[in-house]
Amino acid sequence: MILEKIDQPNDIKKLNNEELHQLAEEIRRFLIEKISISGGHLASNLGVVELTMAMHLAFSLPEDKMIWDVGHQAYTHKLLTGRKAGFDELRKFGGMSGFPKRKESDCDSFDTGHSSTSISAGLGYVMARDILGCTNKVVSVIGDGALTGGMAYEALNNAGQIKTNFVIVLNDNEMSISQNVGAISKMLGNIRTASAYNELKNDVTATLAKIPVYGDRMIQKIKQTKSSLKQLVIPGMFFENMGITYLGPVDGHNIQQMVRVFREAKKVNGAVLVHVLTKKGRGYLPAERHPARFHGAEPFQIETGLPKSRRTTPNYTDVFSTIMRKLGDRDDKVVAITAAMAEGTGLKRFANMFPERFFDVGIAEEHAVTFAAGMAAAGLKPVVAVYSSFLQRAYDQVLHDVCIQNLHVVFAIDRAGLVGSDGETHQGLFDLSFLTSIPNMTILAPKNMWELSDMMKFAVNFEGPIAVRYPRGTAYQGLHDFRPPVEYGKSEIIYDEDGIVLLAAGSMVKVAEQVRQTLKEIGYNCSLVNARFLKPIDEKTISEIAKDHKLIVTLEENVINGGFGEHVLRYVNETGLDVAVRIIAIPDEYIEHGNVDLLKKEVGIDAESITKRIIADYILLGENT
């Protein structure tokens, strides 16, 4: 196998053309086999096999810096830098990350995970290179989807001003460009980057500049004429007008063609964008036909592409999908907004039934939130469905455009809490902390699938900013007999006994139920309260339970700093309540990738760990009283 010859960076440069084509096929087979077992990002990786190979041929790692936007498409990059063995533990706890990680390899220049960041990071590398007097090349890869993010345009605007080499690769796996336009563009691209052309252009400009009065006018006229001609035949004039040289489109599955273009791009004294056309899922028919399904695939059967295990119970996203369809049916003012995650957030059914009230704004969370604010100001009831970790990107818009005006925008926050295999960049552990700090914001968290439905109905008919946060994974179906109406700011007392009280938020109610059962079995009285509202907290109930309990234990799937527990503790301290408070939450650290149950145990929010901590605290309290 040719793949066996790749042990370290730049080994690919030892291969001939025939071996390169064979390597591409071997990489695809390897990825399909491994991801069918471990799960992971398949379609995007299959689409960039040749592109990645061409980049590794044209650049030298780790001296040159290669930055992948989002980074979920960097599996081939990891293979070509000697990490083949790591795929047996891909995305497992303690194993290789599914994203670039600087601590994992010198060839990973920047930790990524969220979209639209690679050009900014690459530009930073370029400026540092020049200031430090280095000569290495910098290349940033960004997808056509990521270009819908505003940050990418901020970076492009900045990049257009530089006079030093910076290569940007636009990985376009969706746009269709006609052959004629592509051929003309390729020809002009080759001419523009040829050394003779650049030298002639610079000589002519310098000569004309010496002519008094008329020289500058002649230069400007030539530039205007050239730009007008290019406008007719070059599809990349948008980039050209920003001051960025455009090359392409290039066949993203033709290694030799891409290598030639990359070598030309390295000669440009400025920012240069290479437009590469690729096909998501290439080489594996199920992924080609259903690229969205194989974006983040669960373990699957290679022969059919079908998941190895079928879900028999709904997850929280399914429940949200169902209630949104019903809400859309009942109220024509309800509109739904997503930032390029219609399927991931469960809005596909709403989109199919109410296309005129569904809006996918692309990877642009900031715009999504302010867009929703405008709709709310005009009298609609916008629901912004977003992953917890992606809502971080719109903090200013939530604060400035929604909450200051007290506008009725509903935030449906999916994947709140630990999400597992995608690691630090995707764990939804901060939304409680940053949302509770904002005046006018109301936050709820459901204990089970039925409460999510009830809370969404409450939220849509609420007045003012409101968020409902719920976890990734199977929706809890326990405690179904406990379903009182949702009342503003009011928690739910599920079991009431003296001694210890578990005050649990959302997903942690299930864990608290297990903890309570264990405590009861060994002789401890224990109450269980479902917080429901995380802002405002139910101060009345807290005051009441403080009268006949020695210890309040708050449980939340959020970082401890600024979370639900800290708000409860502050209230207890400020009011002088005679009760101890123990906060169970995620430590003040980033949590890496791994199985969610294992991660919970590692950070101490599993039932067994919590029970041990409570017993120790309660014994200590008993000795002190």
Side-chain angles (χ1 to χ4, degrees):
M1 287 180 62
I2 304 300
L3 187 54
E4 297 297 331
K5 298 181 179 181
I6 307 297
D7 294 319
Q8 57 187 357
N10 304 310
D11 276 353
I12 189 175
K13 296 181 178 181
K14 302 173 185 177
L15 305 180
N16 59 42
N17 286 341
E18 184 178 341
E19 290 175 317
L20 289 173
H21 291 297
Q22 184 177 337
L23 176 61
E25 295 307 310
E26 289 181 10
I27 288 174
R28 284 197 168 87
R29 287 199 300 270
F30 178 88
L31 293 178
I32 293 167
E33 290 171 3
K34 292 296 182 181
I35 298 173
S36 72
I37 297 171
S38 66
H41 294 94
L42 182 61
S44 55
N45 280 287
L46 293 179
V48 298
V49 172
E50 289 88 357
L51 169 57
T52 309
M53 291 172 62
M55 290 170 60
H56 277 255
L57 288 166
F59 296 91
S60 296
L61 300 182
E63 293 78 19
D64 291 338
K65 306 304 176 184
M66 195 175 292
I67 301 164
W68 298 88
D69 202 86
V70 183
H72 60 251
Q73 76 285 53
Y75 291 4
T76 300
H77 167 74
K78 295 197 175 201
L79 281 172
L80 297 181
T81 49
R83 285 174 271 178
K84 180 173 176 285
F87 279 83
D88 288 331
E89 299 297 319
L90 178 68
R91 309 199 322 151
K92 294 180 181 178
F93 183 72
M96 188 170 70
S97 171
F99 296 87
K101 285 286 181 286
R102 295 171 66 210
K103 66 182 180 183
E104 191 177 286
S105 170
D106 290 340
C107 296
D108 291 357
S109 302
F110 201 79
D111 290 6
T112 50
H114 288 188
S115 166
S116 314
T117 63
S118 65
I119 303 176
S120 296
L123 192 56
Y125 258 109
V126 167
M127 294 297 100
R129 174 196 66 197
D130 292 354
I131 290 171
L132 297 173
C134 301
T135 58
N136 62 284
K137 299 298 181 182
V138 179
V139 54
S140 291
V141 184
I142 189 166
D144 54 319
L147 272 184
T148 61
M151 185 174 174
Y153 293 97
E154 295 173 18
L156 286 170
N157 179 61
N158 198 189
Q161 305 172 38
I162 67 173
K163 304 300 180 185
T164 184
N165 185 255
F166 175 31
V167 181
I168 302 166
V169 177
L170 171 56
N171 173 32
D172 183 351
N173 52 37
E174 189 172 0
M175 188 182 300
S176 177
I177 299 178
S178 66
Q179 189 63 45
N180 286 341
V181 172
I184 295 172
S185 176
K186 176 183 175 183
M187 177 187 69
L188 293 178
N190 290 337
I191 292 174
R192 287 204 310 279
T193 57
S195 298
Y197 171 78
N198 281 325
E199 291 171 6
L200 176 61
K201 181 177 67 174
N202 292 334
D203 289 344
V204 170
T205 302
T207 301
L208 291 175
K210 296 176 182 178
I211 302 175
V213 183
Y214 298 102
D216 288 341
R217 295 181 187 177
M218 293 172 69
I219 293 171
Q220 189 62 34
K221 193 66 177 178
I222 289 173
K223 287 182 177 179
Q224 290 174 354
T225 303
K226 186 177 72 169
S227 295
S228 298
L229 289 172
K230 287 195 293 185
Q231 194 82 43
L232 296 175
V233 294
I234 301 176
M237 275 307 297
F238 171 80
F239 302 105
E240 293 274 353
N241 288 337
M242 296 182 79
I244 299 170
T245 301
Y246 172 90
L247 304 177
V250 184
D251 181 356
H253 302 293
N254 187 319
I255 297 172
Q256 286 72 30
Q257 185 183 49
M258 284 187 288
V259 169
R260 285 195 298 271
V261 174
F262 288 146
R263 286 173 177 164
E264 293 299 322
K266 293 195 299 184
K267 301 175 184 177
V268 177
N269 289 322
V272 53
L273 183 139
V274 181
H275 185 179
V276 178
L277 302 179
T278 61
K279 183 176 180 58
K280 256 189 175 182
R282 183 180 173 93
Y284 183 52
L285 193 57
E288 289 184 11
R289 289 177 173 174
H290 307 286
R293 187 197 304 170
F294 287 90
H295 171 72
E298 298 297 324
F300 61 91
Q301 300 170 5
I302 295 177
E303 298 77 12
T304 62
L306 296 175
K308 288 183 176 178
S309 61
R310 295 296 186 93
R311 283 192 293 111
T312 57
T313 54
N315 59 31
Y316 280 103
T317 306
D318 296 330
V319 176
F320 171 74
S321 177
T322 299
I323 188 59
M324 278 300 294
R325 182 190 60 78
K326 292 179 180 178
L327 289 170
D329 215 17
R330 296 169 187 169
D331 190 340
D332 58 10
K333 288 187 177 181
V334 172
V335 296
I337 301 166
T338 181
M341 296 296 292
E343 293 189 12
T345 59
L347 285 179
K348 195 68 176 176
R349 293 169 68 188
F350 187 96
N352 291 336
M353 290 195 67
F354 314 105
E356 73 287 352
R357 287 190 275 146
F358 168 76
F359 305 91
D360 186 342
V361 300
I363 305 176
E365 289 84 4
E366 302 95 324
H367 165 59
V369 172
T370 304
F371 177 52
M375 287 183 160
L380 294 178
K381 299 178 179 181
V383 176
V384 179
V386 61
Y387 288 0
S388 170
S389 62
F390 297 157
L391 183 60
Q392 295 163 186
R393 314 189 81 178
Y395 177 79
D396 179 64
Q397 287 71 25
V398 174
L399 189 156
H400 186 275
D401 298 331
V402 175
C403 290
I404 286 180
Q405 301 183 79
N406 202 27
L407 293 171
H408 180 207
V409 176
V410 179
F411 296 95
I413 306 177
D414 200 340
R415 304 198 180 194
L418 293 165
V419 301
S421 300
D422 284 334
E424 306 101 312
T425 57
H426 286 62
Q427 311 284 17
L429 306 177
F430 304 97
D431 57 274
L432 266 183
S433 298
F434 68 73
L435 289 178
T436 54
S437 69
I438 305 176
N440 290 338
M441 176 60 75
T442 295
I443 309 169
L444 301 90
K447 68 178 182 290
N448 58 24
M449 59 184 291
W450 294 283
E451 199 160 71
L452 172 56
S453 178
D454 294 342
M455 286 181 173
M456 282 304 303
K457 294 171 187 174
F458 177 88
V460 164
N461 293 302
F462 187 69
E463 291 185 6
I466 186 166
V468 181
R469 76 184 303 260
Y470 46 94
R472 180 184 190 181
T474 302
Y476 185 46
Q477 298 188 42
L479 298 173
H480 58 275
D481 293 332
F482 297 86
R483 195 177 179 180
V486 178
E487 297 180 42
Y488 179 75
K490 187 172 178 58
S491 57
E492 173 196 17
I493 299 176
I494 299 175
Y495 300 110
D496 190 9
E497 300 174 352
D498 59 3
I500 303 166
V501 58
L502 306 177
L503 181 55
S507 62
M508 293 302 290
V509 173
K510 175 183 176 181
V511 179
E513 191 181 15
Q514 298 168 359
V515 172
R516 177 184 178 274
Q517 184 62 37
T518 302
L519 291 173
K520 290 283 291 179
E521 290 172 357
I522 57 180
Y524 292 93
N525 289 335
C526 187
S527 299
L528 174 57
V529 178
N530 169 24
R532 283 192 156 188
F533 284 81
L534 311 185
K535 185 180 182 182
I537 60 173
D538 186 353
E539 297 177 350
K540 181 179 179 181
T541 295
I542 294 171
S543 296
E544 288 297 316
I545 62 178
K547 295 176 181 178
D548 51 10
H549 292 85
K550 289 184 178 179
L551 177 64
I552 295 176
V553 181
T554 66
L555 300 93
E556 63 191 292
E557 206 168 335
N558 186 81
V559 291
I560 191 168
N561 291 341
F564 171 67
E566 286 198 350
H567 290 279
V568 173
L569 178 60
R570 184 186 64 192
Y571 173 73
V572 169
N573 289 338
E574 287 178 350
T575 54
L577 295 176
D578 185 21
V579 64
V581 177
R582 155 69 80 176
I583 301 174
I584 304 292
I586 304 293
D588 180 26
E589 59 191 55
Y590 295 107
I591 309 302
E592 295 195 6
H593 54 277
N595 173 272
V596 170
D597 291 336
L598 179 58
L599 292 178
K600 286 183 176 180
K601 189 174 184 64
E602 284 291 319
V603 299
I605 64 167
D606 64 303
E608 182 181 357
S609 301
I610 292 170
T611 303
K612 289 179 180 178
R613 292 169 67 180
I614 290 174
I615 292 173
D617 283 348
Y618 200 59
I619 291 173
L620 185 62
L621 284 170
E623 291 174 350
N624 291 336
T625 56

